[in-house]
Amino acid sequence: MNRRDVMKTAVLGTGLLPTGVGLAATPANAARKSRTFLLVHGAWHNALHWTRVSEALSARGHQVVAIDLPGHGLNARFPASYLTGDAARFAEERSPHAELTLDDCASAVVAALEKLQGGPKPVLVGHSAGGTVITRAAEMAPHLMGRLVYLSAYVPLRLQSASAYGALPEARTGHGESLFIGDPAKLGAVRINPRGDAAYREALRAGFYQDVDEAAFLPFALTLTPDIPLSLWIGKVGATKERWGRVPRSYLRCSRDRALAPALQDLMIREADAFTPGNTFTVDTLESSHSPFASQPRRLADLLDGLR
């Protein structure tokens, strides 16, 4: 795999993590229709990164659940060299998550959705590479979700995989290409180093969180995991019109995104709308980096709350 083509997006097991506990809805919010949101993080991230959005949605009277995908958050396992700081070994050591597949991650989402049945069908939200996961989950179990929401996320339909879209000219932003470590094909993972030096962390911030200052960025950065299973990047979603294509969907664009370029976001929206012209995206735009859950959590919650 060409290192220029490795993932530039930020892609919990099946256990559920309710967030925003103790936040009471205001009387005005209580009159609104309450929804259930299932939040799926992107590469290297975890459920914790959704905390501020979860709190804002909970305060509006919604039930909010965030999960850690396999290999992330509390489900993460680490290369030994990541813990010892052996940089040369870190560039070569195979990932403990190399055998995890896209279907493993999508199945974790389906299992979480199954636990949330009984009321209105949940709104399934995926960020970045989490878009690949929710696309596959919707193909597997479209009956379990009421709406798909892609937050600056991959919708890999025509080309089937995130990696194929990452190789397009529209994906180039000039940021982030120096962050990736080793050969993903040999590692079995797309690898970064959240414990890198100050210059590395600044490149990470500039590529993914440029509208968050350094002090606010550090808690997000230092809770990242180094590896995402390669299958999340190269796995094919297999979406069909009859299954994925029947679920209502929304896209939340990030217009200042340096990780998943706005031109690529727009390309995937157009392709998806052409794929199912009778069921097209609703589209809203955030003037944000790739990480509005950090820089604009209340604005992001407002857009999710306003979905109809």
Side-chain angles (χ1 to χ4, degrees):
M1 179 182 300
N2 189 319
R3 288 182 62 191
R4 286 173 55 86
D5 294 340
V6 296
M7 178 177 294
K8 302 197 302 179
T9 67
V11 125
L12 266 142
T14 60
L16 299 183
L17 177 64
T19 53
V21 175
L23 292 175
T26 65
N29 289 339
R32 298 178 183 174
K33 182 179 179 181
S34 176
R35 291 193 183 91
T36 297
F37 289 90
L38 180 64
L39 308 180
V40 178
H41 60 79
W44 312 295
H45 286 63
N46 58 64
L48 184 64
H49 293 94
W50 287 111
T51 297
R52 291 172 184 164
V53 176
S54 299
E55 290 175 345
L57 286 171
S58 295
R60 291 162 170 79
H62 302 297
Q63 179 185 11
V64 188
V65 174
I67 64 168
D68 283 333
L69 292 173
H72 294 76
L74 295 180
N75 299 312
R77 299 294 180 266
F78 301 93
S81 53
Y82 181 64
L83 304 177
T84 63
D86 183 339
R89 178 64 179 153
F90 188 52
E92 298 178 352
E93 182 181 352
R94 191 161 174 83
S95 173
H97 297 306
E99 306 310 314
L100 284 174
T101 68
L102 175 59
D103 274 1
D104 291 332
C105 294
S107 293
V109 172
V110 170
L113 287 167
E114 289 173 339
K115 295 179 182 179
L116 295 172
Q117 300 303 299
K121 292 182 180 179
V123 176
L124 179 58
V125 182
H127 174 245
S128 192
T132 300
V133 178
I134 68 170
T135 300
R136 183 62 187 152
E139 181 64 21
M140 294 168 69
H143 60 288
L144 294 179
M145 59 203 73
R147 176 171 290 275
L148 291 164
V149 181
Y150 291 80
L151 172 60
S152 192
Y154 282 94
V155 194
L157 298 180
R158 178 176 60 89
L159 300 179
Q160 288 292 303
S161 69
S163 62
Y165 283 90
L168 294 176
E170 290 88 346
R172 301 289 178 243
T173 68
H175 290 272
E177 293 183 3
S178 65
L179 294 172
F180 304 102
I181 295 168
D183 179 349
K186 293 180 180 178
L187 299 176
V190 182
R191 179 167 290 172
I192 62 171
N193 185 8
R195 299 176 64 181
D197 62 19
Y200 184 95
R201 289 196 305 273
E202 175 54 24
L204 188 63
R205 189 193 69 81
F208 295 92
Y209 287 78
Q210 82 267 19
D211 52 357
V212 179
D213 66 33
E214 182 180 8
F217 166 64
L218 283 175
F220 287 88
L222 297 179
T223 47
L224 297 172
T225 55
D227 289 353
I228 64 160
L230 183 58
S231 181
L232 291 191
W233 184 230
I234 67 173
K236 295 183 178 181
V237 297
T240 64
K241 297 176 183 179
E242 295 75 21
R243 296 181 66 80
W244 173 85
R246 78 187 201 215
V247 183
R249 61 180 186 260
S250 299
Y251 203 102
L252 303 183
R253 299 173 66 256
C254 292
S255 64
R256 297 171 58 200
D257 202 321
R258 295 175 175 175
L260 205 167
L264 186 57
Q265 297 174 52
D266 293 340
L267 172 65
M268 291 186 290
I269 292 169
R270 291 194 303 271
E271 289 186 353
D273 287 352
F275 187 60
T276 56
N279 178 28
T280 60
F281 273 113
T282 67
V283 180
D284 288 289
T285 297
L286 287 146
E287 299 294 328
S288 80
S289 70
H290 191 59
S291 305
F293 49 84
S295 63
Q296 300 183 32
R298 291 187 179 278
R299 172 60 179 152
L300 175 53
D302 285 343
L303 290 178
L304 292 172
D305 178 58
L307 293 172
R308 292 293 180 264

